[in-house]
Amino acid sequence: MDKNEMESVIEGILFTMGDSVEPGRIAKALEVDKSEVIECLDSMKTRYEEENRGIRLMKLDDSYQMCTSPDIYEYLIKIAKQPKKYVLTEVLLETLSIIAYKQPVTKSEIEKIRGVSCGHAVNKLVEYNLVTELGRLDAPGRPMLFGTTEDFLRSFGVSSIEELPELNPVQIEEFKQEAEEEAKVALNI
Amino acid sequence: MDKNEMESVIEGILFTMGDSVEPGRIAKALEVDKSEVIECLDSMKTRYEEENRGIRLMKLDDSYQMCTSPDIYEYLIKIAKQPKKYVLTEVLLETLSIIAYKQPVTKSEIEKIRGVSCGHAVNKLVEYNLVTELGRLDAPGRPMLFGTTEDFLRSFGVSSIEELPELNPVQIEEFKQEAEEEAKVALNI
Amino acid sequence: MDLNFKLQQFEGPLDLLLHLIDKNKMDIFDIPIVEITAQYMEYIRAMKEANLDVMSEFLVMAATLLKIKSKMLLPIEETEDEEEEDPRAELVKQLLEYKMYKCISYELRDRQVDANNVYFKVPTIPDEVSKYEQPVDLDELMSDITLSKLNAIFNSVIKRQENRVDPVRSKFGKIEKEEVSLEDKMNYMLEFARHNRNFSFRQLLEGQRSKMDTIVTFLVILEMMKAGQIFIVQENTFDDIKIESKMVA
């Protein structure tokens, strides 16, 4: 095994292991002398530094570990703090509208209206502080009741939920009739 | 930030993250153009290969991930813990192939092609994180649509689903003959 | 033919069919249906103990094969259509598509073997980086959502819910207790038959209020006839049914 190949294998081993590795273990796997491995590790360590690489070798007692250059840290923090864009997805908006109009409302009532589970959506809305727990319903299972928050009102610039646009009964009646018509058509097929 | 410094930072970030990283995230942290990052990543990828390095860059859809070179596998297995490998049965492979080429696809479409039910197979593939739910089809019954994941690309060594072997009838005839040869060998055992 | 070959070895009816076609060196575009059906059925018979879930899918294919076979045995009718479609066409199309994916799955398996020779590294992101959570900016989050939009969303949700409700079935209304009880009617009739030797069905219906009354009365008549409590005669269809009671004391 030539030096180049050995370096390649050692690089791969240190990368995969993540932890510190003793040169003796590497030597056994490669069936070479431990001193050869140490020599190779030290030369790699120096080269990584000279080349100003993003990854470095760290010597800990008699083991070696792959790590990043200390300069990377500030960029990692920047990646973490990258302004993530929170968006209200369709699911969240629908759930929010049901809570706004039906409050106080339980998760199972919301699920009944949407036809799909809403646990995740409600939790997200609570996390965004648009929705809050209002207490438990005095019913079997004592389900939690949800309602909108002050933040919710503030973001719409209204002072109470009474100010939400009214639901138009005529329109709702139309929806019902449409649904019936559709069903009739379906039956004629 | 000069090219050398950028490569160093990117190397460190990919090493730390372990997972696949989108160039856009790196670009924001480095306050540079995304195209610059991509250019840098691609040149690193080529250089790692040319220098026969132990670590390599892998492109998955539009993300990049650091991994080991396949050439050093035989040494790595002697020392590193083998990642858990699952064996895909023929049923799973057939189902996966259909999903890979037909995505987004519903269970009933898969069943139509295979002539047998596929619920169990699809669930297993979802469990292995090779396949994921993509949302519901806007059709009666609102059936779930399935597609492949990044893990799928990783486990099959392709950078995107466009890289999958083409469905070319001539080539398929060749596969078929190969498969038959294999089957003969298998039967002779 | 090697019947020891277990049906479970095949991934489904199409797989078995392909196996038979390959084995017999048949042309997939010109499947000798009579022959292939016979062989397919032989496999099915040999697999009687196979689990029913698997069996049912194989049986669907068997039925398809038999249908194709019968179609091909029938003389081709002269129709205005210039060309009658080959009854096998659909099956051939399905077989070819399945075969294509089957072949591709072998290719994928090879790729997986190659791709498995690569190792990755677990993420080693510092805690303060990975646990960082960005505060939610509500102004930004709600920037393009107006009250009327919220209202429209709620309306559309409600509309969807209406669509989901089966309007036909929901029209059936509540299930109410039947106004006419079979038991009451039976008791009434038994009493009536004890006091009247000869009467007719029409006579019985006089003064009955509803369709349900009529139906229940008819059911009671049938029941009493079965029990030998009455004897009935109807000379012609739609004639009145003459009833003779055997219960007169």
Side-chain angles (χ1 to χ4, degrees), chain C residues 46 65 90 135 152 154 174 189-190 202 217 221 249:
Chain C
L65 285 173
E90 185 64 28
F154 184 71
K174 292 176 198 130
M189 284 292 298
L190 287 173
R202 268 184 205 154
T217 304
I221 295 288

Side-chain angles (χ1 to χ4, degrees), chain A residues 40-52:
Chain A
C40 199
L41 279 162
D42 287 333
S43 105
M44 283 165 77
K45 185 172 183 300
T46 315
R47 193 152 37 77
Y48 284 1
E49 280 156 24
E50 280 170 4
E51 288 176 3
N52 216 0

Side-chain angles (χ1 to χ4, degrees), chain B residues 69-127:
Chain B
S69 146
D71 304 337
I72 60 171
Y73 177 74
E74 55 168 320
Y75 298 106
L76 282 179
I77 50 169
K78 285 191 192 161
I79 187 162
K81 209 166 104 192
Q82 286 229 51
K84 201 181 140 207
K85 276 178 200 161
Y86 36 79
V87 180
L88 294 180
T89 60
E90 226 169 295
V91 184
L92 292 184
L93 271 169
E94 280 180 19
T95 310
L96 186 59
S97 314
I98 295 169
I99 296 175
Y101 283 90
K102 285 249 170 188
Q103 59 188 311
V105 66
T106 64
K107 282 187 186 174
S108 72
E109 284 175 89
I110 303 169
E111 278 167 22
K112 223 171 124 193
I113 293 172
R114 292 199 53 243
V116 282
S117 69
C118 69
H120 180 75
V122 173
N123 294 346
K124 263 266 170 294
L125 291 170
V126 169
E127 189 190 316

